[in-house]
Amino acid sequence: MSLVAPAAVQVHKLVEGRPARRCIKRISAGATTLAALLVLAACGAQAPDVSERMAASAMPLPALPRFGPPDPLPPARANADMVRDILEMGFFLESGRAVPALSRFDGPVTLRVTGAPPVGALTDTDRLIQRLRSEADIDITRVPEDQPARINVTFLPRARIRSLVPQAACFLVPNVSSWQDFRANRRNPALDWAQVSVRQEVGIFIPSDTTPQETRDCLHEEVGQALGPLNDLFRLTDSIFNDDNFQTALTGFDMLVLRAWNDPALQNGMRPAQVAAVLPAVLARLNPRGERGGTGPAGPTPRAWINAIEAAFGGEGGRDMRLDAASRALTLANAAGWQDGRLALSLFLVARFLPPQEGEAALAALIRAGAIYRDLPGAEVHAAHVDMQLTVQALASGQMDLVMQLTTRAIPVARRTENAALLSSLQLLRAEALQAMGARADAAALRLDSLIWARYGFGTDDAVRARLAEVAALTRALPVSR
């Protein structure tokens, strides 16, 4: 079973970490580093009238947007590393249990959508199928809901999903075709992925009452795992199969993994050693530019670190409990000597939960996380999330030039990775900077554009308007532009 981590890193949660009752003071114009530009200090000022900034909130919100032609970042890691990653993804479950043999569908794959698909879900499903056909070379077709299919995507209320699987945002199960089938057979050994030798039928269950972006994210991850390896690895910054949930759509790395997993050179029932013997030649043929070096063994991810990260993600404890969990993860990451996405994620979460009076420590953790992410393959969107947090800090302190610099770097990444929530948040932050700089017409135009993506990323009109108000409130301590 593959579960998407609840309360995963989402843009609409990250802005909650903005400064409270403090601002960021400027330092001398000779400062050259980002850390120097963002020195925290306490301050206070009159709150300006933000009615002009909020004018867009009274307008009818646009219909759901559509991204342009897919342009995923290509796989950037060496094939030797990919062999290691695919073996760990394919022959272990997220619980750590071993999967004894390769399993996949034989022949063409059919997919149907049943239940109550929300607006836009069928369009996103068809777009995903087209990508799987063209990028992963998988023969997959959507059929009408009244026909049998090998992949059965069911939309139903989140409350019904969590009545049986409380921690799941969405999930997949082998050898079932419907929710009723799953309910009736929950304890049947046939639903154990470790016992599956050939994939015949898979049930995927997705909330019908969530945001369009989360619907799309669930489709990509669960359909991807129905067709390929089942494990999620925290160290894979260039993959949607990573419970940090920064990647929201199948990446170039993911499509290459799916293409390799379904290559004719591999067969159902192959043991890990057999796959390990064949996979290098498969990847050399599919990804010749990956025939170079490699980083060597990545080292296991201890369960203690995973448990700490999941506790930091989880919403059951308050900020102090989540900070404690993130701090434990950071201690473990440093002790292990990691310099990869696991260390960066630990730093990112510590920064997220540090209290306002420890702003300098939070800023240092963010900057260090961003530096690590920029050195990792496929971690551009992770770095863009860090840039968004730094943009919040810069906007709240009136450093509009820095807001423009950071958003100029991050917005194209959010657009290319099709992360509408991140894109709209960055656009709203940039619009606030333009407003403060006196470019009111440009600010209004960008704010309206951001609402198109906010509708997709945040769902309801109320959620979109709340985000608009939240970003506008960041400049309350700043002078009003005249």
Side-chain angles (χ1 to χ4, degrees):
M1 183 182 299
S2 175
L3 305 182
V4 175
V9 176
Q10 301 280 345
V11 176
H12 63 283
K13 295 294 184 184
L14 301 183
V15 176
E16 292 174 357
R18 68 184 183 271
R21 295 183 303 278
R22 73 168 191 252
C23 74
I24 307 164
K25 71 178 181 182
R26 295 180 183 273
I27 68 160
S28 67
T32 58
T33 67
L34 187 56
L37 286 169
L38 292 170
V39 178
L40 300 180
C43 68
Q46 294 290 325
D49 179 5
V50 297
S51 59
E52 185 176 346
R53 293 168 170 83
M54 291 298 296
S57 68
M59 301 180 62
L61 295 180
L64 292 182
R66 287 290 170 256
F67 288 97
D71 185 26
L73 293 165
R77 66 177 66 242
N79 286 342
D81 292 340
M82 287 196 64
V83 170
R84 174 199 66 203
D85 298 333
I86 292 173
L87 291 173
E88 189 172 347
M89 294 168 71
F91 293 104
F92 292 92
L93 300 177
E94 291 184 53
S95 64
R97 290 176 58 214
V99 175
L102 182 147
S103 71
R104 65 186 190 188
F105 292 107
D106 279 332
V109 179
T110 51
L111 179 151
R112 66 171 181 161
V113 176
T114 66
V119 174
L122 293 180
T123 299
D124 279 335
T125 301
D126 290 339
R127 192 169 186 266
L128 169 59
I129 288 173
Q130 182 56 41
R131 283 196 62 195
L132 290 166
R133 294 178 66 88
S134 62
E135 297 176 43
D137 198 26
I138 294 174
D139 185 359
I140 180 170
T141 306
R142 182 163 72 88
V143 298
E145 64 175 308
D146 59 353
Q147 293 186 16
R150 308 185 82 177
I151 298 178
N152 301 272
V153 179
T154 301
F155 286 92
L156 65 164
R158 184 186 299 273
R160 290 186 65 191
I161 290 177
R162 293 195 169 174
S163 69
L164 295 186
V165 189
Q167 298 302 314
C170 45
F171 64 99
L172 76 162
V173 184
N175 298 317
V176 300
S177 61
S178 67
W179 183 249
Q180 293 75 18
D181 197 7
F182 171 60
R183 285 177 59 93
N185 293 280
R186 277 190 299 155
R187 293 172 178 81
N188 190 323
L191 274 60
D192 181 358
W193 278 109
Q195 305 300 317
V196 175
S197 57
V198 179
R199 299 185 193 182
Q200 304 287 357
E201 194 172 53
V202 171
I204 294 174
F205 304 103
I206 301 176
S208 57
D209 49 357
T210 189
T211 68
Q213 180 162 315
E214 185 176 354
T215 298
R216 189 277 315 273
D217 298 355
C218 282
L219 281 167
H220 277 239
E221 178 156 10
E222 306 308 333
V223 173
Q225 290 191 320
L227 295 166
L230 297 164
N231 198 2
D232 287 335
L233 301 179
F234 275 106
R235 71 168 185 270
L236 298 182
T237 50
D238 50 356
S239 176
I240 196 176
F241 305 125
N242 181 335
D243 277 334
D244 67 11
N245 283 8
F246 279 103
Q247 301 285 2
T248 57
L250 287 165
T251 66
F253 169 89
D254 295 328
M255 289 297 186
L256 180 56
V257 168
L258 292 176
R259 191 171 183 182
W261 192 258
N262 289 277
D263 191 89
L266 301 181
Q267 299 294 328
N268 275 312
M270 291 180 72
R271 301 294 176 176
Q274 294 173 303
V275 174
V278 174
L279 200 52
V282 172
L283 289 171
R285 172 165 39 85
L286 298 179
N287 186 41
R289 72 178 187 171
E291 288 295 290
R292 65 188 189 281
T295 60
T301 302
R303 177 53 56 179
W305 183 87
I306 294 174
N307 291 343
I309 289 293
E310 289 176 347
F313 276 147
E316 287 136 14
R319 177 179 289 268
D320 289 346
M321 292 178 64
R322 298 173 79 177
L323 173 59
D324 181 65
S327 298
R328 291 199 311 272
L330 180 57
T331 297
L332 290 167
N334 283 324
W338 294 335
Q339 294 297 320
D340 59 16
R342 294 169 293 185
L343 174 60
L345 178 60
S346 304
L347 289 162
F348 185 88
L349 290 174
V350 165
R352 178 180 177 184
F353 297 121
L354 278 170
Q357 61 268 27
E358 295 189 49
E360 290 189 50
L363 181 59
L366 273 179
I367 292 171
R368 188 179 174 204
I372 294 170
Y373 281 136
R374 292 189 192 285
D375 284 338
L376 296 175
E380 291 87 347
V381 70
H382 300 66
H385 274 278
V386 173
D387 280 348
M388 195 273 285
Q389 289 298 307
L390 295 174
T391 300
V392 169
Q393 308 291 337
L395 182 64
S397 65
Q399 299 182 75
M400 303 309 168
D401 289 343
L402 186 55
V403 171
M404 301 301 287
Q405 173 190 332
L406 291 166
T407 55
T408 295
R409 182 168 67 182
I411 284 175
V413 175
R415 191 182 300 276
R416 185 172 185 179
T417 57
E418 302 189 359
N419 190 323
L422 177 60
L423 175 59
S424 63
S425 293
L426 288 165
Q427 288 180 321
L428 284 172
L429 291 165
R430 187 179 178 92
E432 280 301 306
L434 288 168
Q435 179 84 24
M437 295 165 71
R440 294 183 175 179
D442 291 340
L446 184 58
R447 198 172 285 119
L448 287 174
D449 187 56
S450 74
L451 295 182
I452 297 173
W453 302 110
R455 182 70 178 275
Y456 188 88
F458 301 116
T460 67
D461 292 1
D462 286 346
V464 173
R465 291 181 174 119
R467 171 44 52 93
L468 189 65
E470 186 178 30
V471 172
L474 288 169
T475 54
R476 283 178 181 166
L478 301 176
V480 180
S481 175
R482 298 298 180 189

